[in-house]
Amino acid sequence: MDGCVKKTAHIATAFLCLIILTGAGLPETGPKPEVKPGDKQVEQQADDPANVDVAPKPQPKPETKPDVAEPDAASPDVPKPDTKPGENTSDGDKPAPSSDTTSKDAAAPKREVQGPNLPDKQTLEAQHLTIEPESDADHSECVKELQSLGVVFTDLSRIDDGNGCGIDKPIKVTEALPGIKLKPDGVFRCPVALALARWMKGTVIPAAAIAAADQGRITTINQASSYICRLRNSAETGKISEHARGNAVDIASFSFEKGEDIAVKPRREDSTLIGAFQRTVSAAGCLYFTTVLDPESDAAHETHFHLDVLERKGGYRYCH
């Protein structure tokens, strides 16, 4: 009887322990790792696992620019020659430098152009220039054009004043068009006389008929310079003037049958018909001449038009 009671007590005790053990539970979250003070990245990862990067993102490489030679600031006024792609611009037969210029080549000092060898630093005598020959066929064709327009002129013997000053086939013009005198007579090459006649007929005379209708027709072109042996702007050094080659004429004023002469002078702000006349004939001059310098161009031309027939590469014209 006592054995049964003890066995029952042991079973009851075991059953009670089982109830107590099954009622106990594990904590919902485990212990968090200890975070070092100041480690923000670890703190964020601990608080929000979604912010954890599996691997660090690569940083973009900094952009690199090719080495480009800077312009030579020491000689900004030295003109660069016009070159075509692939054209050799080096001295003699040496190959042109490639684009892969080493730092050693880039750092090498540039050869300076000696000032006294430039035309703008030389006297006329030092330039050793010669007179340009003219084609007989071209001159003959030009003369026929003058005759058809009624230009009054005479042929002159070849002019050679030395140092490149002179005209191979000069002419002397006394009337630019029938009834319109050139005063004084002008000496230059035939193409100058032809351009002058065409400019007068096509632009100057029609414009004057509107701007100075009450003054009648133009009777005289007063010229300030035709052929003369000198440098540009009568300087002591520099390039030879186109006047010295018979390629230019300077126009100072126009005389009419009545009324005052129309003088060439600064008229940019002149709002009268005469101002409009001068601006018109100046602009139209570039249709006939390759160079037109008016009173607005510089101080050396404030009292006249400079008109010349200098031939430039590509048919380029300079008009101001």
Side-chain angles (χ1 to χ4, degrees), residues 281-303:
V281 299
S282 176
C286 217
L287 298 174
Y288 308 94
F289 296 90
T290 59
T291 306
V292 176
L293 300 176
D294 64 16
E296 314 299 342
S297 62
D298 57 31
H301 298 90
E302 286 186 343
T303 59

Side-chain angles (χ1 to χ4, degrees), residues 130-134 158 164 166-168 189 245 247:
T130 58
I131 299 172
E132 296 181 2
E134 296 185 65
R158 186 174 188 270
I167 308 173
D168 190 25
R189 293 176 57 237
R245 296 185 178 277
N247 284 333

Side-chain angles (χ1 to χ4, degrees), residues 128-141:
H128 305 293
L129 303 173
T130 58
I131 299 172
E132 296 181 2
E134 296 185 65
S135 163
D136 290 338
D138 290 344
H139 181 72
S140 178
E141 184 64 27

Side-chain angles (χ1 to χ4, degrees), residues 15-303:
F15 183 73
L16 180 62
C17 290
L18 179 63
I19 293 174
I20 294 172
L21 290 173
T22 56
L26 296 174
E28 295 181 358
T29 59
K32 294 183 179 181
E34 183 179 358
V35 179
K36 296 179 180 180
D39 194 344
K40 295 182 179 180
Q41 183 177 5
V42 177
E43 290 176 359
Q44 293 173 356
Q45 293 176 1
D47 293 339
D48 186 5
N51 289 334
V52 179
D53 291 331
V54 175
K57 295 182 180 179
Q59 297 296 323
K61 296 182 179 180
E63 296 183 359
T64 58
K65 297 182 180 179
D67 294 335
V68 179
E70 295 182 359
D72 185 6
S75 55
D77 296 329
V78 177
K80 300 287 189 299
D82 295 332
T83 59
K84 299 179 181 179
E87 182 178 343
N88 187 352
T89 59
S90 59
D91 294 336
D93 296 328
K94 296 179 182 178
S98 64
S99 58
D100 298 331
T101 305
T102 63
S103 58
K104 180 179 180 181
D105 293 335
K110 297 182 179 296
R111 183 177 62 183
E112 296 183 358
V113 179
Q114 297 300 319
N117 293 330
L118 296 175
D120 61 352
K121 302 296 183 182
Q122 294 179 333
T123 63
L124 182 59
E125 293 77 11
Q127 296 182 46
H128 305 293
L129 303 173
T130 58
I131 299 172
E132 296 181 2
E134 296 185 65
S135 163
D136 290 338
D138 290 344
H139 181 72
S140 178
E141 184 64 27
C142 181
V143 166
K144 289 180 181 179
E145 290 288 335
L146 291 184
Q147 292 171 340
S148 68
L149 290 169
V151 179
V152 179
F153 66 97
T154 56
D155 291 317
L156 299 177
S157 300
R158 186 174 188 270
I159 300 174
D160 187 351
D161 290 329
N163 302 312
C165 291
I167 308 173
D168 190 25
K169 293 177 171 56
I171 63 172
K172 181 173 71 173
V173 176
T174 55
E175 290 188 12
L177 283 175
I180 301 179
K181 295 180 179 180
L182 184 62
K183 186 177 180 180
D185 298 344
V187 176
F188 26 65
R189 293 176 57 237
C190 183
V192 176
L194 184 57
L196 179 61
R198 289 173 173 173
W199 177 58
M200 290 295 299
K201 182 177 181 179
T203 300
V204 178
I205 293 174
I210 297 173
D214 57 341
Q215 293 185 221
R217 66 179 184 86
I218 296 176
T219 59
T220 306
I221 304 170
N222 301 295
Q223 61 101 354
S225 179
S226 56
Y227 170 76
I228 181 173
C229 182
R230 63 173 174 83
L231 297 178
R232 293 182 182 180
N233 298 329
S234 299
E236 294 183 359
T237 60
K239 293 184 178 180
I240 191 171
S241 170
E242 292 307 308
H243 287 280
R245 296 185 178 277
N247 284 333
V249 61
D250 292 346
I251 306 300
S253 65
F254 301 95
S255 297
F256 293 78
E257 288 180 313
K258 52 187 177 180
E260 297 181 354
D261 293 354
I262 294 181
V264 178
K265 62 182 182 179
R267 294 184 185 274
R268 179 175 294 172
E269 305 301 328
D270 187 345
S271 59
T272 67
L273 277 174
I274 301 304
F277 164 78
Q278 179 172 300
R279 293 190 294 273
T280 298
V281 299
S282 176
C286 217
L287 298 174
Y288 308 94
F289 296 90
T290 59
T291 306
V292 176
L293 300 176
D294 64 16
E296 314 299 342
S297 62
D298 57 31
H301 298 90
E302 286 186 343
T303 59

